[in-house]
Amino acid sequence: MLLIYTGNGKGKTSACVGQAIRALGQGLAVAFGQFMKRGDQAGEQTMLAELLGENFLASGAGFYRDSDFEKHREKAAQLLRWAEERLDQGVDMLILDETLYALNHGLLLEEEVRALIQRSRDQGCHLVLSGRNVPLWMVELADIVSDVTEVKHIYAQGGKARRGIEF
């Protein structure tokens, strides 16, 4: 199946983590990668690295700036190669957090993502993607799409990110 978590609300990464935990609890082999995000920034990264070992990778270069396109593109390509290796190893579920963000900035190409979707299907691997602004072509290919909508967020009232909540 192809599952997508999208929308402007908080919780897309948390949904991906929850999906990983659910699959692990059912004995599935899970790999979890994060585009754009550097490792050791968030609590879920610590736990996923502990649970998944080599099947977890946060390969991002941090905050994206157009002037750093080549650096970010290489980091995205690195994670894509890692994901393909995980498919070769026969994982049951491949979760790629912030895929849509990387796609929307041109760090991943549509044909690369389409090929990954097809390869996952061909190998019987569930693929979970997340990020904002899911393209229509991906919605049409997906089995499940969840839209996480922001109703209220503390940032709007000037609040700051809190450990264990946002990271």
Side-chain angles (χ1 to χ4, degrees):
M1 293 180 68
L2 173 59
L3 295 84
I4 299 171
Y5 295 106
T6 192
N8 69 340
K10 178 190 173 339
K12 295 176 293 291
T13 297
S14 297
C16 288
V17 173
Q19 194 68 64
I21 296 299
R22 176 171 285 164
L24 287 168
Q26 292 295 334
L28 276 64
V30 176
F32 195 116
Q34 291 182 311
F35 289 102
M36 312 304 293
K37 297 177 179 178
R38 292 189 320 259
D40 299 326
Q41 288 187 307
E44 75 270 7
Q45 293 172 326
T46 302
M47 296 309 300
L48 288 167
E50 188 176 311
L51 284 169
L52 300 175
E54 294 293 317
N55 280 340
F56 173 73
L57 179 63
S59 72
F63 186 77
Y64 177 76
R65 292 177 184 82
D66 288 334
S67 61
D68 296 331
F69 176 83
E70 290 303 323
K71 175 174 70 173
H72 286 276
R73 170 70 175 143
E74 177 49 40
K75 291 290 192 176
Q78 175 188 355
L79 186 62
L80 192 58
R81 288 188 300 270
W82 173 89
E84 291 168 348
E85 290 169 6
R86 294 318 174 266
L87 287 172
D88 289 342
Q89 294 170 3
V91 296
D92 301 306
M93 180 177 285
L94 176 60
I95 301 170
L96 297 174
D97 187 30
E98 300 295 2
T99 300
L100 302 179
Y101 188 58
L103 179 66
N104 291 330
H105 284 286
L107 304 175
L108 291 174
L109 303 177
E110 179 179 334
E111 47 275 15
E112 291 172 321
V113 178
R114 282 183 181 271
L116 185 69
I117 292 168
Q118 188 59 54
R119 187 162 175 212
S120 295
R121 285 209 165 126
D122 291 345
Q123 293 186 221
C125 176
H126 301 298
L127 181 60
V128 182
L129 307 176
S130 72
R132 293 179 183 216
N133 303 316
V134 63
L136 182 58
W137 66 264
M138 197 179 290
V139 171
E140 291 171 353
L141 292 174
D143 299 289
I144 298 173
V145 178
S146 294
D147 187 353
V148 180
T149 303
E150 180 179 316
V151 175
K152 183 178 182 179
H153 198 294
I154 195 164
Y155 285 158
Q157 289 86 37
K160 297 180 181 178
R162 288 183 176 81
R163 186 173 57 121
I165 302 296
E166 280 89 17
F167 62 94

